Amino acid sequence: MKTLLKNGTVVTPGGSRVADVLICNEKIVRIGEHLESPDANVVDVSGKLLFPGFIDAHTHFDLDVCNTTTADDFHTGGRAALRGGTTMVIDFACPNKGETLQYGLDLWHKKADGRTACDYGFHMTIDDWTPENIRQIPQMFEQGVTSFKMYLTYPAMMIGDENIFRALQELKKYGGIAGVHCENAGVIDALIAENKEAGNLGPDTHPKCRPDVLEAEAVGRLLKMAYVADVPVVVVHLTCEAALKEVEAARARGQKVYVETCPHYLTLDDSNYDKPGLEGAKYVCAPPLRKPADEECLWKALANGEIQTISTDHCSFTTQQKKAGLGDFTKIPGGLPGVETRGLLIYTYGVAAGRITKEQMAALLSENPAKLYGAYPRKGVLAEGSDADIVVYDPAPEAFIHAADSVGAADYTPFEGFRVQGRIDQVYLRGRLSVENGRVLEENGGIYIPRGKSSLT
Ligand code: MN
């Protein structure tokens, strides 16, 4: 099966050019000018941008959290991802304390295999530092899991500084990489207790209990632990200028630090928590939304290369689920839907707004996550020999985001009414036309992508 995309603008971090792309079965076999292939299905994509399929390296599908389960499972979440141009997600396999890494990995395969629309891989969450789990780390690598997640907050997930440090040392032996959720735990708990006692129970109290400096404190602490362990590390979902300063300090010490941020930290601010009742609850996530000045700081850091990836931290709940926290903000399930809208938002508020270039967008959404998490060059790039994961983006039309148009399982979007520039016309997943004009044509065509070691420099 051959497809020839004619006259699109092929976007790569190194530059863009008008070219033809010839796809044979699952792979890109040629990129060049005036390509001919008599037996190919020819598609005219002139005037369209061709991005490498977007990779979302931070999703939570089918996750049990806050006494409920995320609205999106791999079926609905994968479908929403693909519709938004994301051809691969890396979700977090998450065994509970007392369960083994292998149990968690097997469980995540059960959740995803055969029912996911986009390709997928798994990071492994280390939330229990036991001899058995330490023994199982090399077998994670054998199964294509080369990246790990740890938490400096949330009692159910934390393993403490000592074990985080030991884990960083252990992963270093195998060339693994860890992403860490950075917020101070103890002070946040104290602020929550203090506020609950004072009767401050609305969603507007949520950001007050998780201030930016407590994120910065944890980022600084992690980076000093990584300095002593002498390993590169990933700061996931960084939100603010205060935390970025800690990254700058670590880099000044000569450390290798990778930083991820998310669309909601770039386009939404903490005034959303002042919305009445359930409306404010829809924006509860951790770390919380910050100030407009932080958004601008993050955009600048994307433009100058201080931040390497934009993922969504997609962790969706319905309005009904968010209701659990009416009257007590600590019971609001934390997380936002976002997997479907990332490409449109970053193009609109990044590229079209002149904050970053389309070439930088290709790096932030595709090439860098592919390299950082060991899927490159199979994924993340439009090149001969790579998987034919291609987003055909028409930059001309203007549209608006509405939850009613979404194929995800949440019944709202935090970006309701946002204007977007452009439209995703087609998505090819390993050579198959899988989305066309907003319709998902293949609902379970995704496969597991085993990953190698990080190659981002
Ligand atoms: Mn997360």
Side-chain angles (χ1 to χ4, degrees), residues 58-60 63 92 149 151 154 181 236-237 260 286 312-315:
H58 194 147
T59 64
H60 300 282
L63 178 69
F92 292 89
K149 172 81 175 286
Y151 289 82
Y154 298 135
H181 179 130
V236 298
H237 51 47
E260 168 197 272
T312 63
D313 198 5
H314 181 96
C315 188

Side-chain angles (χ1 to χ4, degrees), residues 260-309:
E260 168 197 272
T261 191
C262 311
H264 45 283
Y265 301 122
L266 294 163
T267 58
L268 298 167
D269 65 56
D270 63 358
S271 66
N272 286 290
Y273 297 117
D274 298 330
K275 292 178 177 173
L278 200 55
E279 283 306 302
K282 291 179 179 178
Y283 298 88
V284 166
C285 59
L289 304 174
R290 303 298 189 192
K291 301 291 180 196
D294 291 303
E295 292 173 43
E296 282 315 312
C297 175
L298 295 177
W299 280 114
K300 284 201 189 93
L302 290 166
N304 68 23
E306 284 188 89
I307 297 178
Q308 284 70 43
T309 66

Side-chain angles (χ1 to χ4, degrees), residues 23 32 74 91 121 181 192 210 246 284 299 389-390 427 441:
I23 301 166
F74 277 84
D91 200 86
H181 179 130
I192 288 172
R210 313 186 87 94
E246 298 292 335
V284 166
W299 280 114
D389 298 338
I390 303 171
V427 181
L441 306 176

Side-chain angles (χ1 to χ4, degrees), residues 97 126-128 151-160 185-186 189:
K97 277 191 198 289
I126 300 177
D127 55 18
D128 207 2
Y151 289 82
L152 289 173
T153 192
Y154 298 135
M157 317 294 289
M158 289 163 59
I159 58 173
D189 285 346

Side-chain angles (χ1 to χ4, degrees), residues 13-37:
S16 301
R17 60 168 176 150
V18 174
D20 303 336
V21 178
L22 181 62
I23 301 166
C24 182
N25 298 325
E26 297 201 335
K27 300 288 184 185
I28 295 170
V29 290
R30 279 206 68 192
I31 299 177
E33 283 165 34
H34 313 298
L35 297 187
E36 302 281 344
S37 181

Side-chain angles (χ1 to χ4, degrees), residues 214-236:
L214 293 185
E215 179 183 341
E217 182 278 328
V219 170
R221 182 157 38 98
L222 168 71
L223 295 181
K224 283 160 192 163
M225 291 191 276
Y227 178 77
V228 178
D230 189 25
V231 284
V233 72
V234 184
V235 178
V236 298

